[in-house]
Amino acid sequence: MTPTPERPRSYSSPLPTPRPHLGHAVASEWTKLISIRSTMWTLGSLVLTVVGIGLLFVSQTSDEDYEGITFTTPALFGLLVGEIAVMVLGVLTITSEHGTGLARTTFTAAPDRYRVLTAKYLVFSATALVTTMLSVFVVGIAASLAHDGAAAGTHAAHEWLGALCGCLYVTLLGVLALAIGALVRHSAGAISVMLGLVTLPPVIGAMLISWEAVAPFGRAILQRNVPVALSQLFGMKEGGDLGAAPSNLSQLVLIVLVTGGAVAASYLSVGRRDV
């Protein structure tokens, strides 16, 4: 009688195989973020612009100049340009993967797309917020050390809180850019959309205010666009004849609502698409 050949046993790895969770996705996204050149160039541009222009402003001012402005105001001028670097990094955080085809590999290795997208939002938000805060507060501390004389007037702690809200506002702009990138999946297209959202409202508001029928709508746009909101959060006094300025809280609520809507749409889009 011929003996029956023994069937091969299934392979079992001796290595531990932990259940994947959000921490693994965050570690993966952090590795990807710090390993690409665009992160260094965009965040380096942000720091160089905010700190460079801010310190130049501080060196050209006197104590009396700070009687009407906050110590963090010099950082605003660089941040109005540096916000573009944050938005570009937000777009590239996801569109670069679609451009190189890495997105297909990522979603094959980690099929839970919502977890991957959540990790991208967490890693980018923390990186952008910390970098922006450090840049702004370096300028603010330099201004306070150089011009904290009696002629500079009194400066309360809420001025620093306003600057912190301004950093959060810029970070939300970057998160909005990441959401637009997830929807458009094209770097140039998403960056163009974000530049339009930042630069066009002041122009459109100025046009609408000249027509009486839509003048209130134009004034609302002029009071709530990105440069005006950032200036207000950094303690710049409003001017002109547009009426009472909206509160700082309403400026933050507006960007939170717009960003939240785009983020929700990005989750729906990423969950339904093939790649």
Side-chain angles (χ1 to χ4, degrees), residues 72-244:
T72 56
T73 298
L76 169 67
F77 306 109
L79 194 59
L80 289 173
V81 180
E83 65 186 3
I84 297 176
V86 178
M87 292 187 297
V88 169
L89 179 60
V91 168
L92 294 179
T93 299
I94 191 166
T95 58
S96 60
E97 289 197 39
H98 288 287
T100 59
L102 182 61
R104 190 180 301 276
T105 306
T106 299
F107 291 138
T108 301
D112 191 340
R113 299 183 175 201
Y114 299 140
R115 181 190 299 156
V116 173
L117 189 58
T118 302
K120 286 185 182 295
Y121 280 123
L122 291 176
V123 170
F124 170 78
S125 301
T127 304
L129 181 60
V130 170
T131 307
T132 307
M133 283 175 50
L134 288 177
S135 303
V136 169
F137 282 90
V138 163
V139 177
I141 291 172
S144 65
L145 292 175
H147 299 292
D148 195 19
T154 58
H155 293 269
H158 66 80
E159 295 181 355
W160 296 91
L161 179 61
L164 179 61
C165 292
C167 296
L168 178 61
Y169 191 98
V170 172
T171 302
L172 288 173
L173 281 177
V175 174
L176 176 61
L178 200 160
I180 297 296
L183 293 171
V184 177
R185 297 192 299 176
H186 189 271
S187 300
I191 292 172
S192 299
V193 170
M194 287 305 302
L195 290 178
L197 289 175
V198 172
T199 59
L200 286 182
V203 179
I204 295 174
M207 292 173 56
L208 295 180
I209 202 171
S210 61
W211 295 320
E212 186 176 354
V214 291
F217 187 59
R219 280 194 290 270
I221 294 177
L222 288 177
Q223 290 178 325
R224 292 172 176 82
N225 58 73
V226 172
V228 171
L230 274 179
S231 301
Q232 187 175 325
L233 291 172
F234 273 83
M236 295 288 285
K237 295 180 179 178
E238 66 275 10
D241 54 353
L242 296 176

